[in-house]
Amino acid sequence: MPIWNPEYETMTRPDLSELQLRRLKSTAAWVYDRVPYYKQVLDERGVKPRDIKSLDDVRKLPFTDKTALRDTYPFGMFAVDMEQVVRVHSSSGTTGKPIVVGYTKGDLNTWTELTARIASAAGVTASDRVQMAFLYGMFTGGWGMHYGIERVGATIFPAGSGNTERQLLMMQDFGTTAIVCTPSYALYIAEVAEKSGIDIKSLPLRVGLFGGEPSGEGMRDEIERRLGILATDNYGLSEVMGPGVSGECEHQCGLHMAEDHFLFELLDPETGEPVGEGEEGELVITTLTKEAFPVLRYRTHDLTTIDTAPCECGRTLARMRKVRARTDDMLIIRGVNVFPSQIEDVLTSIEGIEPHYLIVVDREGSMDDLEVRIEVAEEIFSDVMADMVAFTKNVTAKLFSVIGLHAKVRLVEPGTIERTAGKARRVIDRRSTD
């Protein structure tokens, strides 16, 4: 498949490092001169923009986290006057004040270019008809991918999220060849189609661009099997851009990172020190070209690995592993560290379990209680009681072998667990309300 911007996507590592350093120096000066928060923090550290002389000097710069962004709400981190801001997006604000981000015309052009790369890497061309089943509004996902797909030249259907019956009607009537949504919503679309007697595999749909929530290879396999498509993953976050930070090509061997626009570090989340090549660490991102809302060393809390070897597709940009876990979504249950992704990997490996589950953590007295509710195929749920008990014991044993805890496994009928057009809710931790 063609590479959208070979000038940058196939740069040599030395040329890329030179470009990154030049842009890092410019960004450090930009935020020092224009963002009071960064000037104060840099002055407190005794660091001036001129002190950035190598890429390693990024470690002289301060970390940025959500606390700083919320403390300066709404526009305190903007580096330009509002007259130069042509669009504003924000997070949902469900855990406090929302994080507000702004874009200049130049930022929007960069964003569009980067999401065009993502779309092109997934195989979208000017001949495609792309159905956007992401939420629009203040969420960055829908808008970010929308303009990149338009730049590629494809026809876009801005369907928005929800109303699954209408989504399926559009697929049938409009000849949709590509869909953009969360992976969990893609599975729900498949489920509704099956119940409605619609054979999605007979439609022109051939590729999906999925993001907005973590998902494992088991879920990808299920999407590809039930929809008959190539499923690609992409990654982004509002604080540094939105979608466009990285995305998979057709080889599905890691997400190509936009290293010409972002400087990526992979650090030990406890010590803040770099991890070794191939080791898992927390992804930390410094924007290199953002004008309205540049950020230094933003702690994403996302855990991944990075591979700098060139890809079969010809791109030389580093690739990150799909994000499956975050440092802040780790559950500590009876003193054991448990990531929801570990549980998902076990469940998706067992035949008969539907790709919908809910983890419920509660406390009975002084003891934590872990319950995993899973949807199972109709034939398993209707089996004799002895068979269902044996199935439950098998799931419980496999979970214990991975997480080291005995979970209470509860089988529920298909369609019982709530579906959503946005991010799927996978965990309910009731201990926080005690």
Side-chain angles (χ1 to χ4, degrees):
M1 294 181 184
I3 296 174
W4 177 254
N5 192 333
E7 179 184 358
Y8 290 101
E9 294 182 78
T10 63
M11 292 183 79
T12 66
R13 300 303 298 181
D15 286 347
L16 177 61
S17 295
E18 183 180 334
L19 175 67
Q20 286 181 316
L21 179 57
R22 186 165 67 250
R23 289 179 169 178
L24 178 62
K25 290 178 177 179
S26 177
T27 294
W30 184 260
V31 300
Y32 186 82
D33 292 340
R34 293 170 172 264
V35 183
Y37 170 84
Y38 280 127
K39 184 178 189 306
Q40 178 182 340
V41 175
L42 286 166
D43 283 345
E44 290 172 354
R45 297 169 71 99
V47 176
K48 301 294 183 185
R50 63 175 177 270
D51 296 328
I52 306 300
K53 298 174 181 176
S54 71
L55 288 179
D56 287 340
D57 287 336
V58 70
R59 298 180 64 193
K60 296 179 180 178
L61 302 176
F63 288 120
T64 308
D65 59 21
K66 286 185 177 180
T67 301
L69 304 186
R70 288 180 174 137
D71 287 348
T72 54
Y73 172 89
F75 307 130
M77 296 291 275
F78 284 20
V80 298
D81 295 333
M82 287 302 293
E83 287 77 6
Q84 296 174 267
V85 176
V86 296
R87 193 189 305 166
V88 169
H89 284 285
S90 74
S91 66
S92 62
T94 53
T95 57
K97 287 183 178 179
I99 291 167
V100 180
V101 297
Y103 302 80
T104 64
K105 287 183 179 178
D107 290 331
L108 291 183
N109 183 60
T110 297
W111 194 11
T112 299
E113 184 69 14
L114 293 184
T115 50
R117 289 186 194 178
I118 300 300
S120 185
V124 174
T125 68
S127 63
D128 277 299
R129 301 176 186 183
V130 184
Q131 192 158 321
M132 179 64 67
F134 255 144
L135 180 70
Y136 281 81
M138 298 302 284
F139 172 60
T140 58
W143 290 108
M145 291 303 299
H146 180 114
Y147 288 104
I149 289 165
E150 281 191 343
R151 182 163 292 184
V152 168
T155 302
I156 190 163
F157 309 143
S161 63
N163 200 337
T164 307
E165 289 77 10
R166 182 172 64 93
Q167 301 276 1
L168 285 164
L169 184 65
M170 290 175 67
M171 287 182 194
Q172 294 172 291
D173 294 348
F174 294 179
T176 300
T177 61
I179 188 166
V180 185
C181 61
T182 62
S184 58
Y185 188 55
L187 285 175
Y188 184 55
I189 289 174
E191 183 179 301
V192 173
E194 290 159 6
K195 289 179 179 178
S196 304
I198 299 170
D199 180 10
I200 285 192
K201 292 181 181 179
S202 70
L203 302 180
L205 189 68
R206 63 176 189 82
V207 64
L209 288 75
F210 302 117
E213 65 185 13
S215 63
E217 290 303 316
M219 183 173 284
R220 188 213 295 274
D221 293 343
E222 188 77 1
I223 291 171
E224 292 188 335
R225 181 182 67 81
R226 293 172 73 172
L227 293 179
I229 63 174
L230 173 75
T232 65
D233 197 44
N234 59 78
Y235 171 83
L237 57 165
S238 300
E239 296 90 333
V240 301
M241 175 68 79
V245 175
S246 65
E248 285 183 314
C249 67
E250 70 273 19
H251 294 285
Q252 301 172 314
C253 57
L255 286 69
H256 294 278
M257 308 168 80
E259 293 183 279
D260 50 326
H261 290 276
F262 307 99
L263 183 63
F264 298 96
E265 301 173 78
L266 211 57
L267 307 179
D268 182 312
E270 297 295 328
T271 67
E273 295 297 314
V275 300
E277 181 77 21
E279 293 182 11
E280 182 178 79
E282 179 187 350
L283 189 66
V284 175
I285 305 176
T286 297
T287 62
L288 298 178
T289 56
K290 288 284 293 292
E291 296 173 342
F293 193 82
V295 290
L296 303 180
R297 306 189 80 197
Y298 184 74
R299 299 197 66 160
T300 68
H301 296 288
D302 291 327
L303 296 172
T304 187
T305 60
I306 292 179
D307 184 357
T308 57
C311 179
E312 288 181 61
C313 70
R315 292 174 179 83
T316 56
L317 298 173
R319 287 165 288 138
M320 60 183 280
R321 187 193 66 201
K322 292 176 66 169
V323 172
R324 301 297 322 287
R326 292 172 50 84
T327 60
D328 56 359
D329 74 358
M330 181 180 71
L331 299 166
I332 302 177
I333 304 171
R334 301 174 216 154
V336 178
N337 296 343
V338 178
F339 286 102
S341 57
Q342 294 174 297
I343 294 175
E344 179 182 296
D345 287 342
V346 172
L347 300 181
T348 56
S349 71
I350 300 174
E351 187 175 352
I353 294 180
E354 299 292 314
H356 303 285
Y357 64 92
L358 184 65
I359 301 165
V360 180
V361 187
D362 212 334
R363 181 170 288 128
E364 295 182 3
S366 59
M367 182 67 70
D368 290 337
D369 179 65
L370 172 64
E371 179 180 274
V372 181
R373 300 175 189 172
I374 56 177
E375 289 188 13
V376 292
E378 196 71 55
E379 57 270 20
I380 290 177
F381 203 82
S382 58
D383 277 347
V384 296
M385 183 59 68
D387 291 339
M388 290 178 62
V389 169
F391 185 85
T392 302
K393 285 183 177 179
N394 178 49
V395 176
T396 302
K398 288 190 175 182
L399 284 171
F400 180 79
S401 70
V402 172
I403 65 176
L405 288 173
H406 288 289
K408 183 188 301 179
V409 174
R410 179 178 160 194
L411 308 185
V412 299
E413 294 184 69
T416 304
I417 294 174
E418 182 185 7
R419 310 303 199 248
T420 175
K423 296 182 181 182
R425 188 183 189 191
R426 301 294 195 194
V427 180
I428 297 176
D429 190 347
R430 293 173 174 158
R431 299 172 298 177
S432 61
T433 61
D434 290 351

